Amino acid sequence: SAIIMEASTGTILYSKNADQQMEPASITKIMTVLLALENLDLDEEITFSHNAVYSIEYDSSHIARDEGEILTAEECLYAIMLESANECSNAVAEQVSGSVEAFADLMNERAAELGCVNTHFTNPHGLPNKEHYTSAHDMALITQEAIKYEKFRQIAGTPRYTLRATNKKDEELLMNNHHFMISQNRTSRFLDDTVFCGKTGYTSVALNTLVTCATRNGMDLVVVSMKTQSTGEQGVPLYTDTANLLNYASENFHRVSIAENETNFTIGQGELFDTGSPVF
């Protein structure tokens, strides 16, 4: 499924199976970061609990944080959006709501407020769960809200970020954005300077999911694709699909100011005519 939304108006420029319920994988984290920005101070310290660190699958995305380790909320958000760190998603969820379960309730409440009708979240990271699903349209709505925050744009559009040493780690950690249109860490083939932020996702069930935000023709475009099967070279057709969708939108649409293009008419009383019958 896929969708293109013009963010300032919410106009849908392209849609394919956009209301079909699918597992989102790590694009879930856009909602997690949105709620963090709405509920936490960026310099707020977060201490990682045993549950935050050890409740995720060992081979899932993480940055190897330890129980009792302390990061700021801002550092956690960079880890979530760049390295898709699941333990950081858990830690943020617990900081906001006290528990992952309570945070999932908050995610669902916020989704409903944003107009999402095909979404139900059970966790802040997107690891597989049959009751954890959304749609391309709903993800566009969530992303539309998130990019209203300049800090979200900054974090989700950063190619790389160096995490400082902490109370548990003596060395810095260089984190790279996994979105190939933003970072050339693995390949420069798909770099696009019109793309200002985005988030990747993958599980064996969800397959590839991708959210991409770009500015074209003065429009902020949100492109969401879900359940895309990559074949051959890494990133194909995931990023070629997104590039084609962005090109379609920029080649066929532009914003027009109605006020600047409307024609006003003034009709004097003497210019009216009698139709011979009353007009109701």
Side-chain angles (χ1 to χ4, degrees), residues 77-123:
L77 299 190
Y78 273 103
I80 290 169
M81 292 305 292
L82 272 63
E83 291 287 352
S84 211
N86 292 326
E87 81 275 40
C88 294
S89 297
N90 281 340
V92 164
E94 292 175 350
Q95 187 77 4
V96 171
S97 299
S99 71
V100 167
E101 294 75 19
F103 187 77
D105 291 338
L106 181 61
M107 295 172 78
N108 292 322
E109 291 172 11
R110 192 71 177 98
E113 290 173 359
L114 294 174
C116 300
V117 295
N118 290 295
T119 294
H120 184 265
F121 293 124
T122 63
N123 62 62

Side-chain angles (χ1 to χ4, degrees), residues 179-244:
H179 198 301
F180 290 174
M181 288 178 149
I182 297 170
S183 171
Q184 57 181 344
N185 178 48
R186 297 182 185 178
T187 177
S188 61
R189 175 179 176 182
F190 303 105
L191 284 177
D192 186 332
D193 60 9
T194 70
V195 173
F196 61 84
C197 70
K199 182 71 186 80
T200 62
Y202 176 83
T203 67
S204 59
V205 178
L207 299 181
N208 291 284
T209 59
L210 187 68
V211 174
T212 306
C213 302
T215 301
R216 301 276 188 98
N217 290 351
M219 302 179 292
D220 279 352
L221 302 171
V222 177
V223 176
V224 181
S225 63
M226 303 184 71
K227 207 163 189 177
T228 301
Q229 180 74 57
S230 265
T231 56
E233 182 184 343
Q234 189 175 26
V236 180
L238 182 62
Y239 290 95
T240 51
D241 282 351
T242 295
N244 288 337

Side-chain angles (χ1 to χ4, degrees), residues 72 74-76 78-79 82-83 154-155 158-164 173-177:
T72 66
E74 182 174 23
E75 290 169 332
C76 285
Y78 273 103
L82 272 63
E83 291 287 352
Q154 176 187 327
I155 293 172
T158 296
R160 58 179 54 190
Y161 179 86
T162 301
L163 185 65
R164 64 182 173 86
L173 175 66
L174 178 62
M175 301 188 295
N176 290 286
N177 200 314

